[in-house]
Amino acid sequence: MTSIRVTETPLVTTVLRRADDALVLGHRLSEWCGHAPMMEEEMALANMGLDLIGQARALYTCAGEAEAAGHDEDAFAYLRDERAYRNLLLVEQPNGDFAKTMVRQLLYAAFADPYWRAMMASRDATLAAIAAKAEKEMAYHLRHSAEWVVRLGDGTQESHERTARALAQLWPFTGELFETDDVERAMIDAGIAVDPATLRDTWRQTVSDVLSRATLKMPEDAYMQKGGRSGRHSEHLGHLLTELQYMQRTVPGATW
Amino acid sequence: MSESTIDEATAPSAESGEGIRAAAWRVAGAVADPEIPVLTIADLGVLRDVRVVGSGIEVDITPTYCGCPAMSMITMEIELALEKAGFGRPKVNTVLSPAWTTDWMTDEGRAKLKDYGIAPPNKGSGRRALFGVEQVACPHCGATDTAVIADFGSTACKALWRCNACREPFDYFKCH
């Protein structure tokens, strides 16, 4: 089926960015189904993925209402090409080993938890309501991933090294969390969105607390990768979307 | 769903608007959570409003968790229950605001959960510290010497705990 063309207003773009973060990270976590290191983690990873995909559904519906072009949640998820996706580069990074998945979850949740908490004061009632759900869910994701990062970092030499490596690999993608552009600025000024830059200190505090318990060194901020918010992605998103969209692209409109 | 509810509802035209609404509320409210069948959606606080609109019934429900797969099932069950009870053209809306919290669960619902072997959510869904420890009483023996096994259980709303006194594992309905 041919891709949809989204008419991006500041509101639509702002909401799609969050929806895409949630869908792509939720999809990544779903890739663990059947592969988790133990039964409890199988359930935890699937549950966290489900939370995120649920957030994405509500946000896509909200974006569809804002765009008013008849696009529903499925159209946004299944019928947009890689360049139309607006998610952070961080969330599309491959799962790697369990340590990398947990570090990625920590880096995202340490941001998303305070982000949604602040968004509860949004002037957009729908966004505020979604935020009230999402902030509670992200608090659980944050705690769970933080506990694992501490356990792995402060574990064996092998687990420490792997967690440190994951942190080094993912760190260059954290700068993008706090990026703001003119599109989003309009929504921030209108009291509809929160300025992500204002959450940087909270994020650093949380991450540094967890890393110090995990006996891991906080990486230095060096060159930061960016581009996801405007559709310039790493090589990994295309592969992810190929799997996610396969059915609707092959058998357009299939339902079951 | 009790027999009396069906009887009252089979002749909705004979009743006042308020009577119809109350009867429809009882029918909709009696729909069970597909994952925790001892709880009705009224016990959970998921049922928010029932309105008579023209000759049909409109029901508002609010989702528990964003990704709770039971919500679409609950929607279908409500429509089915209302149709079976003689209400025409039921329509179920999902309302996001205000967001559902476990504080909306009724005391009756909490008691049913405990009898079923699931520890009910602690009241006051206030924020906990990142590494905070929660106190959850064992639903089997009542002991408070318990420990968490896994923060994510068999459904989105539950965590897996273990009682150190009676050694039984149990589900805890997480605060939300």
Side-chain angles (χ1 to χ4, degrees):
Chain A
M1 187 175 269
T2 50
S3 301
I4 58 166
R5 185 176 289 274
V6 180
T7 311
E8 295 204 34
T9 64
L11 179 58
V12 171
T13 305
T14 301
V15 177
L16 274 184
R17 286 171 174 176
R18 271 74 218 178
D20 290 344
D21 286 348
L23 180 68
V24 171
L25 187 55
H27 184 88
R28 278 287 184 230
L29 293 176
S30 80
E31 291 172 355
W32 274 101
C33 283
H35 302 281
M38 63 181 89
M39 181 57 93
E40 286 78 7
E41 274 320 293
E42 184 75 28
M43 315 242 281
L45 290 161
N47 264 305
M48 291 193 292
L50 203 55
D51 283 343
L52 288 161
I53 291 168
Q55 290 167 21
R57 292 184 60 183
L59 289 164
Y60 283 137
T61 301
C62 176
E65 280 161 13
E67 190 199 8
H71 295 143
D72 64 4
E73 50 183 275
D74 287 342
F76 285 117
Y78 295 127
L79 301 177
R80 278 182 308 145
D81 294 319
E82 184 193 347
R83 292 296 294 258
Y85 265 75
R86 298 280 175 258
N87 58 280
L88 297 163
L89 299 175
L90 175 69
V91 298
E92 72 197 36
Q93 297 310 302
N95 286 337
D97 57 15
F98 184 67
K100 190 172 179 185
T101 293
M102 282 300 139
V103 171
R104 186 186 60 199
Q105 200 67 17
L106 170 70
L107 297 175
Y108 176 73
F111 170 78
D113 175 55
Y115 182 83
W116 289 120
R117 192 148 55 253
M119 281 292 282
M120 288 168 70
S122 170
R123 286 208 186 137
D124 184 301
T126 306
L127 284 177
I130 295 169
K133 302 258 70 166
E135 73 99 17
K136 288 178 181 167
E137 291 164 358
M138 295 322 297
Y140 279 105
H141 296 204
L142 175 57
R143 188 164 70 159
H144 189 71
S145 53
E147 282 175 356
W148 268 113
V149 168
V150 170
R151 201 172 297 149
L152 294 168
D154 193 20
T156 64
Q157 191 185 344
E158 173 78 10
S159 70
H160 179 89
E161 280 168 12
R162 286 197 189 202
T163 314
R165 197 184 314 144
L167 192 59
Q169 285 170 350
L170 293 169
W171 198 258
F173 298 105
T174 57
E176 202 182 21
L177 287 164
F178 311 101
E179 224 188 83
T180 315
D181 58 10
D182 290 344
V183 173
E184 209 144 313
R185 178 59 54 195
M187 291 295 98
I188 295 163
D189 292 344
I192 289 169
V194 170
D195 185 348
T198 59
L199 303 168
R200 188 190 277 271
D201 288 347
T202 307
W203 181 85
R204 281 194 73 89
Q205 190 60 49
T206 307
V207 172
S208 120
D209 176 28
V210 174
L211 294 184
S212 88
R213 285 168 190 252
T215 70
L216 290 162
K217 206 169 149 282
M218 187 106 161
E220 297 290 327
D221 281 349
Y223 178 76
M224 289 290 178
Q225 300 283 352
K226 58 179 186 179
R229 292 299 191 214
S230 53
R232 286 175 290 114
H233 292 278
S234 62
E235 67 271 34
H236 307 295
L237 183 66
H239 293 278
L240 183 151
L241 292 180
T242 303
E243 182 168 321
L244 190 150
Q245 300 182 338
Y246 170 81
M247 186 61 84
Q248 285 304 319
R249 299 290 193 170
T250 312
V251 190
T255 56
W256 63 88
Chain B
M1 195 191 317
S2 70
E3 284 302 314
S4 66
T5 312
I6 297 170
D7 290 341
E8 282 167 29
T10 42
S13 55
E15 294 188 53
S16 66
E18 199 46 44
I20 296 169
R21 179 172 176 269
W25 190 296
R26 278 195 297 276
V27 172
V31 167
D33 180 323
E35 281 173 341
I36 310 174
V38 288
L39 286 187
T40 67
I41 60 167
D43 293 332
L44 272 168
V46 160
L47 179 64
R48 301 307 310 285
D49 197 17
V50 176
R51 293 178 300 277
V52 180
V53 180
S55 57
I57 298 286
E58 267 194 42
V59 176
D60 287 350
I61 57 172
T62 190
T64 50
Y65 277 63
C66 282
C68 182
M71 294 316 294
S72 53
M73 177 98 179
I74 287 173
T75 300
M76 269 168 29
E77 295 275 344
I78 294 172
E79 287 170 355
L80 205 64
L82 285 169
E83 275 177 8
K84 264 170 105 173
F87 294 98
R89 295 198 310 265
K91 182 170 179 284
V92 180
N93 307 308
T94 302
V95 180
L96 295 175
S97 181
W100 180 83
T101 146
T102 40
D103 287 349
W104 292 358
M105 192 184 290
T106 61
D107 287 335
E108 198 192 339
R110 284 167 199 274
K112 283 191 204 168
L113 263 187
K114 192 166 169 291
D115 289 343
Y116 191 59
I118 298 174
N122 282 327
K123 275 198 179 175
S125 54
R127 301 200 56 78
R128 285 163 292 121
L130 180 52
F131 296 100
V133 180
E134 227 174 330
Q135 262 243 339
V136 178
C138 171
H140 305 300
C141 73
T144 50
D145 180 14
T146 58
V148 65
I149 297 173
D151 263 331
F152 295 88
S154 55
T155 64
C157 55
K158 288 180 291 191
L160 190 59
W161 283 60
R162 173 177 49 217
C163 177
N164 291 326
C166 73
R167 307 304 294 169
E168 287 289 327
F170 64 90
D171 274 332
Y172 168 51
F173 199 114
K174 295 192 274 194
C175 276
H176 203 66

